[in-house]
Amino acid sequence: MTHQKSEAKESPESSRGWRTLRENLILIAIALCLALLIRTFVAEPRYIPSDSMLPTLHRGDRLVVEKISSFFHPPQFGDIVVFQPPEELQHRGYPKDQAFIKRIIGTPGKKVSIAGGKVYIDGQPIQEDYIAEPPILPMQERQVPPGEFFVMGDNRNDSNDSRYWGFLPKENIIGRAVFRF
């Protein structure tokens, strides 16, 4: 008696199906890796959790934060930046991963002061057509140290900013807000 081995042969359709599935899984893996790389190093979405940037940004607004430009030039006066809280804020109970958003007012070496409802940089008042209202409380002149920034919310009288917790180290900056959606 002869025994025949039964061999299971894959049909061409079955082989094509596995190939398509494998290709799709590879495409999904590549897409996930690219999304992770882009979010980590290029840009990421954020939302506005408070009214500190009124009238420029409203609670619940979403924006794109780009992370590339800081490699080519430091943040500039007027840039709106997203950042991790500096140590002083962490000592006050804010978690390290909570993001803040403020406008850069003072860059390294500049002297910032507030008097008579106006913000002064190196003794000159700055034009601020983006604020909700002029700041009520005065502030004595402070010089921004190297590698740090003085930041304020556009809602000057309802903003937890550099007036209260000090300067923002450059390394805490996550990126610059580029557009709202």
Side-chain angles (χ1 to χ4, degrees):
M1 194 179 238
T2 355
H3 290 291
Q4 285 185 315
K5 279 189 175 176
S6 66
E7 292 184 26
K9 281 192 160 184
E10 277 191 29
S11 68
E13 294 81 24
S14 169
S15 176
R16 203 173 313 131
W18 280 110
R19 196 170 332 136
T20 302
L21 178 62
R22 191 182 87 206
E23 288 171 359
N24 286 340
L25 289 173
I26 290 171
L27 284 174
I28 290 170
I30 290 170
L32 288 173
C33 287
L34 284 174
L36 182 62
L37 286 171
I38 288 170
R39 184 176 172 103
T40 302
F41 299 109
V42 179
E44 70 178 78
R46 291 286 180 155
Y47 79 97
I48 306 302
S50 74
D51 293 332
S52 73
M53 287 300 291
L54 283 172
T56 307
L57 300 170
H58 298 265
R59 183 188 305 245
D61 281 353
R62 300 200 180 278
L63 35 97
V64 173
V65 176
E66 68 84 17
K67 303 174 178 186
I68 297 285
S69 66
S70 63
F71 292 112
F72 303 108
H73 64 81
Q76 304 293 309
F77 168 81
D79 285 352
I80 296 174
V81 294
V82 173
F83 57 93
Q84 295 171 327
E87 282 187 35
E88 177 61 31
L89 283 173
Q90 291 176 41
H91 293 314
R92 294 181 186 185
Y94 290 94
K96 183 179 173 97
D97 63 346
Q98 179 178 346
F100 279 67
I101 184 164
K102 304 289 179 214
R103 185 180 300 273
I104 291 184
I105 299 300
T107 56
K110 298 291 184 179
K111 295 177 182 174
V112 181
S113 62
I114 302 172
K118 293 199 177 284
V119 176
Y120 293 82
I121 303 292
D122 292 336
Q124 298 298 313
I126 59 173
Q127 178 65 35
E128 297 188 292
D129 54 355
Y130 46 78
I131 63 173
E133 59 188 9
I136 295 170
L137 297 176
M139 182 188 83
Q140 288 188 338
E141 187 174 82
R142 299 181 193 172
Q143 184 164 12
V144 183
E148 297 189 3
F149 297 88
F150 188 90
V151 296
M152 296 176 77
D154 290 354
N155 191 356
R156 294 287 190 253
N157 299 312
D158 188 18
S159 177
N160 184 9
D161 53 39
S162 287
R163 295 172 289 177
Y164 306 107
W165 45 259
F167 301 106
L168 172 66
K170 183 182 187 307
E171 61 268 11
N172 287 50
I173 296 175
I174 296 168
R176 186 173 57 93
V178 288
F179 76 73
R180 178 177 48 188
F181 64 96

